């Protein structure tokens, strides 16, 4: 199975990658160590129309992301959040427009070039049968390996660093399907880390996790940004968590951006009523004053 960790479900992508000359992003994605902050090239969607089959979800949609900010994508179900994330990592190809990385269309990049710059932690990734933690994390090295897995001199150290950062050292020989939900999510994060990409995209990374594991995963993602320099875009459903862990919040509704800015200005009672059709009150967090959403009964 070809894993591009812009393809957690193992689907082949980019059959037309070589149709045009390739302009690669100027930033070197590797061979920096995981613990070293990479140079993160700009990422943007430019007037993209993208969806499923003949049904567009986003139409002539544009947005750019600042690698210095953690960005959370919010909105009701079906608003276009996951569709946008899929387009950003080329799981979905726009029929119009382009996703640009350092000014270059990702659709025109070979799979391995793209996979050295963009990693996806998918919402419900399929775990290969009877695979142990270290082997799954090693799949993140696919973009750096030649035929028969050769040519990746730094791979073993990178994998070890990823396991350590995600606190999986003691679990590396365990079957992934024997782990808890929170542990499995850390395995996928370690796999994305082993990919050594400047950008990390996370699609609902806390889905199906209890509160303790949600907090654990969000803290780890935030630390990968603050301590290790990764550009980070996350799709989240919990507005209070988004306020705590994101610098910028983009709210989508019916495929359009309806709010964009820092949590304190974006999350309002009016927005909750208009977009989510929920009557709620906002309470300042006792530690940092950021908004906490309390729906009314």
């Amino acid at each position: 199975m070809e894993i591009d960790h812009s393809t957690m479900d193992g689907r082949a992508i980019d059959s037309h990658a070589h149709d045009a000359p390739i302009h690669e992003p100027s930033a070197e994605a590797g061979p920096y160590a995981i613990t070293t902050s990479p140079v993160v090239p700009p990422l943007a969607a430019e007037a993209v129309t993208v969806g499923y089959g003949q049904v567009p979800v986003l139409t002539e949609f544009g947005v750019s992301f600042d690698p210095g900010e953690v960005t959370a994508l919010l909105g009701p179900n079906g608003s276009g959040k996951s569709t946008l994330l899929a387009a950003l990592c080329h799981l979905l190809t726009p029929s119009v427009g382009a996703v640009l990385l350092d000014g270059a269309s990702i659709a025109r990049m070979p799979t391995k070039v793209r996979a050295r710059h963009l990693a996806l932690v998918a919402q419900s990734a399929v775990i290969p049968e009877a695979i142990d933690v270290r082997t799954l994390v090693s799949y993140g090295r696919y973009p750096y390996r030649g035929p028969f897995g050769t040519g990746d001199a730094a791979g073993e150290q990178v994998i070890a660093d990823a396991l350590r950062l995600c606190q999986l050292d003691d679990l590396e020989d365990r079957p992934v399907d024997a782990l808890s939900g929170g542990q499995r999510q850390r395995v996928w994060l370690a796999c994305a880390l082993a990919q050594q990409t400047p950008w990390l995209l996370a699609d609902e990374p806390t889905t199906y996790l209890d509160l303790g594991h949600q907090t654990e995963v969000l803290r780890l993602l935030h630390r990968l940004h603050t301590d290790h320099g990764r550009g980070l875009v996350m799709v989240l459903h919990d507005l209070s968590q988004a306020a705590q862990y994101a610098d910028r919040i983009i709210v989508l509704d019916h495929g359009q951006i309806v709010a964009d800015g820092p949590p304190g200005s974006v999350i309002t009672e009016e927005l909750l009523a208009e977009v989510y059709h929920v009557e709620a009150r906002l309470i300042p967090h006792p530690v940092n004053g950021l908004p906490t959403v309390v729906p009314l009964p």
Side-chain angles (χ1 to χ4, degrees):
M1 177 173 61
E2 186 175 89
I3 292 191
D4 153 26
H5 225 53
S6 52
T7 93
M8 276 303 187
D9 58 2
R11 282 179 287 173
I13 61 176
D14 196 14
S15 59
H16 303 290
H18 299 283
D19 286 354
I22 304 303
H23 164 56
E24 290 193 26
S26 59
E28 289 290 334
Y32 55 80
I34 281 179
T35 51
T36 301
S37 297
V39 175
V40 185
L43 177 65
E46 188 174 89
V48 299
T49 296
V50 63
Y52 304 89
Q54 300 300 313
V55 182
V57 177
L58 306 174
T59 302
E60 296 185 3
F61 184 94
V63 67
S64 59
F65 298 96
D66 181 347
E69 298 176 322
V70 175
T71 301
L73 303 177
L74 303 179
N77 291 336
S79 60
K81 307 180 300 296
S82 294
T83 301
L84 174 57
L85 210 68
L88 291 175
C89 65
H90 202 59
L91 282 179
L92 290 175
T93 304
S95 59
V96 177
V99 173
L100 304 178
L101 184 67
D102 202 18
S105 171
I106 66 170
R108 296 172 58 189
M109 297 176 187
T111 300
K112 286 190 174 183
V113 171
R114 187 170 55 249
R116 290 174 187 166
H117 290 84
L118 298 161
L120 172 68
V121 179
Q123 183 179 146
S124 52
V126 177
I127 299 171
E129 188 176 351
I131 192 170
D132 63 71
V133 168
R134 186 180 184 86
T135 301
L136 183 52
V137 172
S138 74
Y139 285 177
R141 299 305 300 163
Y142 158 75
Y144 304 96
R145 290 174 174 166
F148 311 107
T150 59
D152 184 24
E156 289 305 310
Q157 185 59 53
V158 170
I159 292 166
D161 288 345
L163 290 167
R164 176 179 53 79
L165 281 174
C166 295
Q167 299 178 328
L168 294 167
D169 315 54
D170 298 334
L171 301 174
E172 63 177 271
D173 297 321
R174 292 273 298 277
V176 177
D177 55 13
L179 301 179
S180 70
Q183 290 169 330
R184 289 186 190 185
Q185 198 68 323
R186 280 192 279 134
V187 173
W188 289 116
L189 284 172
C191 187
L193 265 182
Q195 201 172 322
Q196 284 186 289
T197 59
W199 279 101
L200 184 59
L201 312 176
D203 189 7
E204 299 185 30
T206 58
T207 299
Y208 309 125
L209 300 183
D210 61 36
L211 181 59
H213 286 122
Q214 289 177 29
T215 303
E216 175 185 303
V217 167
L218 289 170
R219 283 176 175 169
L220 176 57
L221 282 167
H222 196 264
R223 192 165 70 248
L224 295 177
H225 171 78
T226 57
D227 296 351
H228 304 291
R230 299 308 190 267
L232 178 59
V233 181
M234 305 184 286
V235 171
L236 295 175
H237 274 297
D238 189 307
L239 280 74
S240 299
Q241 289 181 338
Q244 295 303 312
Y245 292 99
D247 305 303
R248 175 191 182 191
I249 289 178
I250 299 175
V251 181
L252 285 81
D253 192 24
H254 296 98
Q256 301 292 325
I257 294 176
V258 295
D260 183 352
S265 62
V266 167
I267 300 177
T268 65
E269 294 176 2
E270 292 75 18
L271 178 130
L272 293 170
E274 292 173 11
V275 175
Y276 290 92
H277 309 293
V278 169
E279 188 177 1
R281 296 293 178 264
L282 299 182
I283 298 175
H285 192 281
V287 174
N288 54 31
L290 290 168
T292 300
V293 178
V294 182
L296 298 182

